[in-house]
């Protein structure tokens, strides 16, 4: 995938699952605002250290994305995995969660094809079916 070290911001159910999947092939730095989510087996670092990596997975509630998507330095490629349980927290993430489930990519205008293909490959490698569409189409279909 062209990267050795990645970051995850947020360590709830989705962040924990991403960590479980990514740590098999990458060095993973994690930041979470809730220190109750920290475990000894995960490398938790400061937000400043997480932001040093080129590839950062945001595993935070959608309400927290607005500020980030308006940052002109970020090539933002939102991904919406259509999978999961109705429960949250790190203990509810498991490796098979995304198998044969859809993940919708809704790239921003700043995203380039390389970044989009990298994420498409990532989701497919963990067993997801992938579709790429603009945010309006995504919202219309899922509303």
């Amino acid at each position: 995938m062209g990267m050795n070290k990645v970051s995850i911001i947020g360590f709830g159910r989705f962040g924990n699952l991403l960590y479980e999947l990514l740590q098999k092939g990458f060095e993973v730095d994690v930041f979470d605002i809730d220190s109750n989510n920290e475990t000894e087996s995960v490398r938790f670092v400061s937000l400043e250290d997480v932001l040093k990596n080129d590839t950062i997975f945001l595993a935070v509630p959608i309400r927290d994305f607005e500020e980030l998507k308006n940052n002109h330095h970020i090539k933002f490629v939102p991904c919406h995995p259509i999978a999961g349980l109705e429960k949250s927290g790190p203990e509810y993430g498991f490796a098979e969660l995304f198998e044969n489930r859809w993940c919708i990519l809704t790239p921003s205008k700043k995203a380039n094809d390389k970044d989009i293909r990298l994420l498409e490959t990532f989701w497919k490698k963990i067993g997801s079916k992938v579709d790429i569409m603009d945010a309006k189409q995504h919202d219309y279909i899922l509303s």
Side-chain angles (χ1 to χ4, degrees):
M1 289 175 59
M3 56 184 156
N4 295 322
K5 191 171 184 181
V6 298
S7 294
I8 299 171
I9 296 177
F11 198 68
R13 178 187 55 191
F14 184 58
N16 181 52
L17 178 55
L18 275 175
Y19 175 80
E20 292 298 322
L21 294 167
L22 290 168
Q23 58 115 5
K24 295 174 185 172
F26 305 96
E27 184 179 341
V28 183
D29 290 336
V30 177
F31 171 79
D32 193 278
I33 196 166
D34 183 357
S35 62
N36 290 329
N37 288 340
E38 292 190 17
T39 65
E40 286 185 28
S41 61
V42 178
R43 181 179 160 182
F44 283 88
V45 298
S46 69
L47 181 59
E48 182 179 279
D49 287 339
V50 160
L51 295 174
K52 291 177 184 175
N53 292 329
D54 289 335
T55 302
I56 302 167
F57 290 87
L58 299 175
V60 298
I62 195 73
R63 68 181 175 270
D64 298 335
F65 277 43
E66 193 64 35
E67 183 180 329
L68 295 167
K69 82 173 189 178
N70 292 324
N71 184 315
H72 299 292
H73 303 290
I74 297 174
K75 295 182 283 182
F76 196 60
V77 184
C79 304
H80 183 182
I82 314 297
L85 306 171
E86 297 303 318
K87 299 178 180 183
S88 62
E91 64 274 17
Y92 297 107
F94 52 95
E96 297 79 22
L97 186 64
F98 299 121
E99 287 181 9
N100 294 312
R101 305 291 182 125
W102 284 99
C103 183
I104 310 299
L105 306 183
T106 57
S108 70
K109 291 180 171 84
K110 294 181 277 187
N112 62 45
D113 285 339
K114 179 182 173 189
D115 296 326
I116 296 166
R117 297 297 160 232
L118 179 119
L119 286 168
E120 181 180 25
T121 300
F122 166 76
W123 285 106
K124 286 181 176 180
K125 280 188 174 186
I126 63 171
S128 293
K129 299 177 274 187
V130 177
D131 200 354
I132 300 170
M133 61 184 71
D134 64 39
K136 283 185 181 183
Q137 184 180 8
H138 166 274
D139 293 348
Y140 176 76
I141 289 170
L142 294 174
S143 65

